[in-house]
C-alpha cells in the first residue's frame, strides 16, 4: 500500500482579535496533518472559527501564533506563516482559496479573462500567448465557454461565476485549495454540479482540499476526514463515514441530528441544545461546550478536555462515554 504523503501540517494555530481592549479568541491551538489528494471537511456553527482557520492557512490574515508547515519538493518543509515577501510569492501559487460569494469575490470592472489570468501575470514569466492558451485550457476544464471570456462578471449566473473563481484558483496549478463555503450561495442543483466539478479536478490534478461548509450532506459526500469545531477549537476529528455513523462528542451528535434527512421514513431524534453559542470574548470556564451539554459534570466546568485518541478518532470530551463509546 502506498504511503500517504503529507502536504500540510497545521500546528497549534491560534488567532486573537483585539476589540476595545478585549481579546477575542477566534482560533485556539488547532493542529492538523493533511495528506496529498485528500479532502478535509471543516464544520461547525457560524462563529466557530472555520473561515478564520482557512484564511490563516492561506495567510489572508495573520495568525497570532502557531505554524502552517508546507511540504515542498524543492525546499523541504517551510513555515508558510514566516516566509518573506519574496518567498511568499513563490509559495503562494501552491496554496489558493475559493471564496464563498461568487458575486463579491470577482472584480466587476475586469473581464473574465483578466480575472482568471491575473495570478499568472503576477506570478509567472509566461508570454501573452502562453497566458491566453493557459486561460483557454482552464476555462474549458471548468465548463466555461471560451467565447465568453471577454465578458464581465455581471453577465454570468452564480454557478458560472463560481466556475470563474475555481478557474482563477486553479490557473497556477496549486497543491492545496481552501474552499470557504464554496457552494453555500448556490442553488441545490448548481451545488451538485460544482461539487462534481471539484471532485473531477481533484482526481485530475491530485489536489488537496480544506472544505469549509455548513452543509453536512455535502461534507459527507466530498470529504475523506471531517473536523468539527466549536468556539475556535477542534472538538472531534476522524474518518468521515465513521464520524457520521457514530459521533462521539455531544456537540457533534447535536450538529448531525439537525441535518435534513433525505429519507422521510427514517426517524431522527433531534437534539436541542440549551442556550446560545457563548461569547468568544468571554468563553465559559473548562470545556466551552459544557453550558449547553446534557452530559456535563463538575469536571467539565473546571477543566478543558484535551484531544484524546479513541482508535483513530480525536475527541475533546471528558464524558464521551455518555455518547456510547466510553473513554
Amino acid at each position: 500500500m502506498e504511503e500517504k504523503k503529507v502536504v500540510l501540517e497545521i500546528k497549534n494555530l491560534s488567532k486573537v482579535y483585539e476589540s476595545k481592549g478585549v481579546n477575542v479568541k477566534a482560533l485556539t491551538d488547532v493542529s492538523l496533518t493533511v495528506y496529498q489528494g485528500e479532502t478535509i471537511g471543516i464544520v461547525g456553527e457560524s462563529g466557530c472559527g472555520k473561515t478564520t482557520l482557512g484564511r490563516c492557512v492561506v495567510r489572508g490574515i495573520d495568525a497570532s501564533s502557531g505554524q502552517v508547515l508546507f511540504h515542498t519538493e524543492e525546499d523541504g518543509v517551510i513555515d508558510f506563516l514566516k516566509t518573506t515577501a519574496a518567498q511568499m510569492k513563490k509559495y503562494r501559487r501552491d496554496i489558493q482559496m475559493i471564496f464563498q460569494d461568487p458575486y463579491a469575490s470577482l472584480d466587476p470592472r475586469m473581464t473574465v479573462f483578466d480575472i482568471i489570468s491575473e495570478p499568472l501575470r503576477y506570478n509567472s514569466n509566461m508570454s501573452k500567448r502562453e497566458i491566453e492558451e493557459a486561460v483557454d485550457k482552464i476555462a474549458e476544464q471548468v465548463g466555461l465557454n471560451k467565447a465568453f471570456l471577454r465578458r464581465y462578471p455581471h453577465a454570468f449566473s452564480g454557478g458560472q461565476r463560481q466556475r470563474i473563481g475555481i478557474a482563477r484558483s486553479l490557473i497556477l496549478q496549486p497543491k492545496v485549495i481552501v474552499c470557504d463555503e464554496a457552494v453555500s450561495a448556490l442553488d441545490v442543483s448548481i451545488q451538485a454540479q460544482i461539487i462534481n466539478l471539484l471532485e473531477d479536478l481533484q482526481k485530475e490534478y491530485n489536489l488537496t482540499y480544506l472544505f469549509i461548509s455548513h452543509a453536512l450532506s455535502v461534507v459527507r459526500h466530498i470529504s475523506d476526514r471531517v473536523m468539527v469545531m466549536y468556539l475556535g477549537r477542534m472538538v472531534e476529528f476522524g474518518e468521515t463515514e465513521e464520524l457520521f455513523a457514530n459521533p462521539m462528542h455531544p456537540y457533534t451528535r447535536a450538529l448531525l441530528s439537525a441535518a435534513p434527512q433525505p429519507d422521510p421514513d427514517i426517524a431522527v431524534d433531534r437534539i436541542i441544545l440549551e442556550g446560545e453559542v457563548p461569547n468568544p470574548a468571554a468563553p465559559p470556564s473548562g470545556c466551552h461546550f459544557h453550558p449547553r451539554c446534557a452530559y456535563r459534570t463538575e469536571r467539565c466546568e473546571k477543566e478543558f478536555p484535551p484531544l484524546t485518541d479513541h482508535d483513530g478518532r480525536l475527541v475533546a470530551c471528558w464524558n464521551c462515554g455518555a455518547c456510547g463509546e466510553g473513554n
Side-chain angles (χ1 to χ4, degrees):
M1 184 176 178
E2 187 177 351
E3 186 178 354
K4 294 181 180 179
K5 182 180 179 182
V6 176
V7 67
L8 198 68
E9 290 179 272
I10 301 169
K11 292 190 174 183
N12 305 114
L13 199 63
S14 298
K15 176 62 180 177
V16 179
Y17 292 98
E18 186 173 338
S19 176
K20 298 179 180 179
V22 177
N23 289 331
V24 180
K25 296 181 179 180
L27 205 62
T28 304
D29 287 332
V30 175
S31 296
L32 178 68
T33 298
V34 185
Y35 299 104
Q36 186 173 354
E38 77 168 337
T39 299
I40 301 291
I42 304 174
V43 301
E45 293 172 288
S46 295
C48 72
K50 304 187 300 296
T51 293
T52 300
L53 173 61
R55 292 185 177 181
C56 284
V57 168
V58 300
R59 207 169 166 182
I61 56 176
D62 290 327
S64 300
S65 60
Q67 296 176 298
V68 174
L69 302 179
F70 182 55
H71 291 240
T72 70
E73 296 179 0
E74 296 180 2
D75 305 318
V77 181
I78 60 102
D79 187 350
F80 191 59
L81 303 186
K82 294 182 179 179
T83 54
T84 64
Q87 291 173 323
M88 185 176 175
K89 183 177 181 180
K90 177 181 179 181
Y91 299 117
R92 166 63 69 198
R93 63 186 303 133
D94 290 322
I95 304 178
Q96 293 290 310
M97 191 167 193
I98 300 172
F99 297 94
Q100 175 179 355
D101 191 340
Y103 296 89
S105 60
L106 304 179
D107 191 332
R109 299 167 297 180
M110 297 173 68
T111 66
V112 172
F113 177 86
D114 290 336
I115 289 171
I116 298 175
S117 65
E118 185 179 31
L120 282 179
R121 289 185 275 114
Y122 282 96
N123 294 281
S124 76
N125 296 317
M126 296 171 67
S127 67
K128 183 178 179 181
R129 181 179 179 82
E130 288 173 330
I131 290 176
E132 289 177 351
E133 290 175 351
V135 172
D136 285 349
K137 180 181 178 181
I138 202 68
E140 184 176 358
Q141 288 179 315
V142 302
L144 289 171
N145 191 326
K146 291 186 290 185
F148 299 156
L149 290 177
R150 300 299 174 178
R151 295 185 177 183
Y152 291 86
H154 71 266
F156 296 86
S157 66
Q160 289 172 320
R161 292 188 194 201
Q162 198 60 295
R163 290 175 188 270
I164 296 169
I166 292 171
R168 178 177 59 186
S169 69
L170 274 177
I171 196 71
L172 292 174
Q173 299 182 350
K175 293 181 174 64
V176 178
I177 297 181
V178 176
C179 305
D180 184 15
E181 299 279 6
V183 298
S184 65
L186 307 175
D187 293 338
V188 174
S189 60
I190 306 301
Q191 283 186 12
Q193 295 176 19
I194 298 299
I195 291 299
N196 290 337
L197 172 63
L198 289 173
E199 290 181 317
D200 291 342
L201 293 169
Q202 183 175 43
K203 292 175 183 176
E204 182 170 353
Y205 292 104
N206 198 22
L207 295 169
T208 302
Y209 293 142
L210 296 183
F211 193 85
I212 299 166
S213 181
H214 285 90
L216 295 174
S217 60
V218 173
V219 169
R220 185 172 190 173
H221 173 77
I222 199 173
S223 302
D224 298 294
R225 294 186 292 163
V226 174
M227 178 172 74
V228 182
M229 295 186 66
Y230 185 79
L231 214 66
R233 290 179 179 266
M234 181 197 300
V235 296
E236 187 164 358
F237 182 60
E239 300 289 335
T240 301
E241 287 308 314
E242 294 178 5
L243 186 144
F244 273 79
N246 181 32
M248 293 177 66
H249 195 282
Y251 176 64
T252 308
R253 294 191 71 196
L255 202 64
L256 298 187
S257 78
Q261 175 55 249
D263 188 344
D265 295 328
I266 298 178
V268 177
D269 293 329
R270 177 76 184 274
I271 300 174
I272 307 298
L273 294 177
E274 303 175 13
E276 301 292 335
V277 179
N279 182 355
S285 60
C287 174
H288 294 344
F289 184 66
H290 87 257
R292 309 175 74 192
C293 182
Y295 307 110
R296 62 181 177 267
T297 64
E298 185 176 345
R299 187 182 191 184
C300 301
E301 298 175 10
K302 296 179 180 179
E303 302 177 47
F304 194 92
L307 280 167
T308 305
D309 192 327
H310 296 259
D311 296 325
R313 182 88 61 85
L314 296 178
V315 188
C317 182
W318 290 123
N319 196 33
C320 63
C323 300
E325 204 41 55
N327 59 7

